[in-house]
Amino acid sequence: MKFLREIDADSLVPYILTSSLLLLVSAFAVPGIAVIFIQDLLFFSYDHWIFIRPVETYKGFGIAMISIAVILLSFLITKFYMEKKEKEYKLTVVHLLLIVVTIPLFIFSISHYAYFDDNGVHGNDFWTLSEDNIAWDDVENVSRVVDRSSRKVFSYHFSDNNITIDIPYDTQDTRIKQTITEVIDSNDWEVEEIYSE
């Protein structure tokens, strides 16, 4: 930290500007590749019928990348300002803490998923690190969130007595559509419709 506090801002410009620009530009492409690679590395199993990566997973990862870029630029700007005023720079700890606080956003993004297998439906919400599981025999209610005017389906909810697992639904993804249809038909469940506001 002493090094960051005492180093001249001009010597940091090429490193911080390059890093920040790379993070900002790649935040729109890298999450798609990184999330798939890391989740497959951590969670892949041949037992999964389908593994679902919600859109929030990619958004969270991208926002974390953008946040780090903004923090780096903020560090550089405040350092220039303090040098111009000929004052001692005292915000190093603040910027380092902000970067450390951003790391959980990467972790929560990676651990947000859902999947079906022989045992049941499984999901991990965005702000948790624990996986929820409902066995097929324990499913008591299946509902879907639908837009009232267009009849577009946004998600399916599988519930037992205690928990509800939300499965994002994309009509463009035929694997999700086919898997959910097969699960509902084979168990002869009635699907309740919930209209989105």
Side-chain angles (χ1 to χ4, degrees):
M1 281 195 293
K2 187 177 180 184
F3 165 75
L4 288 173
R5 198 179 307 124
E6 294 175 357
I7 194 169
D8 182 42
D10 289 326
S11 62
L12 290 174
V13 169
Y15 304 107
I16 290 182
L17 278 183
T18 305
S19 302
S20 299
L21 286 172
L22 277 172
L23 282 167
L24 287 171
V25 170
S26 61
F28 299 96
V30 168
I33 300 163
V35 165
I36 291 170
F37 176 76
I38 297 168
Q39 284 189 336
D40 280 353
L41 193 68
L42 296 173
F43 308 118
F44 176 79
S45 171
Y46 286 109
D47 295 333
H48 296 161
W49 297 349
I50 188 168
F51 190 88
I52 302 159
R53 297 171 176 92
V55 175
E56 294 80 18
T57 302
Y58 304 107
K59 286 181 180 176
F61 201 94
I63 289 169
M65 291 176 71
I66 291 169
S67 299
I68 289 177
V70 169
I71 293 165
L72 289 174
L73 289 172
S74 168
F75 169 73
L76 188 64
I77 290 166
T78 54
K79 190 141 181 63
F80 267 126
Y81 178 78
M82 290 300 200
E83 283 181 9
K84 189 177 178 183
K85 295 284 185 183
E86 296 181 359
K87 292 182 179 177
E88 184 185 356
Y89 182 73
K90 297 179 180 177
L91 296 174
T92 307
V93 174
V94 173
H95 286 100
L96 287 174
L97 281 174
L98 286 171
I99 287 175
V100 169
V101 167
T102 306
I103 292 170
L105 192 52
F106 285 110
I107 295 167
F108 285 127
S109 296
I110 293 300
S111 65
H112 183 43
Y113 58 83
Y115 65 91
F116 294 151
D117 65 12
D118 291 338
N119 299 318
V121 58
H122 314 269
N124 196 342
D125 289 334
F126 193 89
W127 296 110
T128 65
L129 296 175
S130 61
E131 185 177 279
D132 291 325
N133 306 290
I134 302 175
W136 294 125
D137 293 338
D138 295 337
V139 173
E140 293 192 354
N141 179 270
V142 179
S143 57
R144 64 181 173 194
V145 179
V146 180
D147 181 60
R148 190 181 298 274
S149 57
S150 68
R151 304 294 298 160
K152 179 181 177 183
V153 178
F154 296 113
S155 64
Y156 277 82
H157 298 254
F158 293 84
S159 306
D160 67 1
N161 278 334
N162 303 314
I163 55 175
T164 298
I165 297 177
D166 182 36
I167 305 294
Y169 187 77
D170 181 5
T171 53
Q172 303 297 320
D173 191 333
T174 54
R175 287 188 62 225
I176 291 176
K177 192 175 183 179
Q178 182 180 0
T179 305
I180 289 177
T181 302
E182 284 177 9
V183 164
I184 290 170
D185 290 346
S186 65
N187 289 285
D188 200 27
W189 288 323
E190 287 207 16
V191 180
E192 176 190 348
E193 290 197 345
I194 300 169
Y195 296 105
S196 64
E197 298 302 320

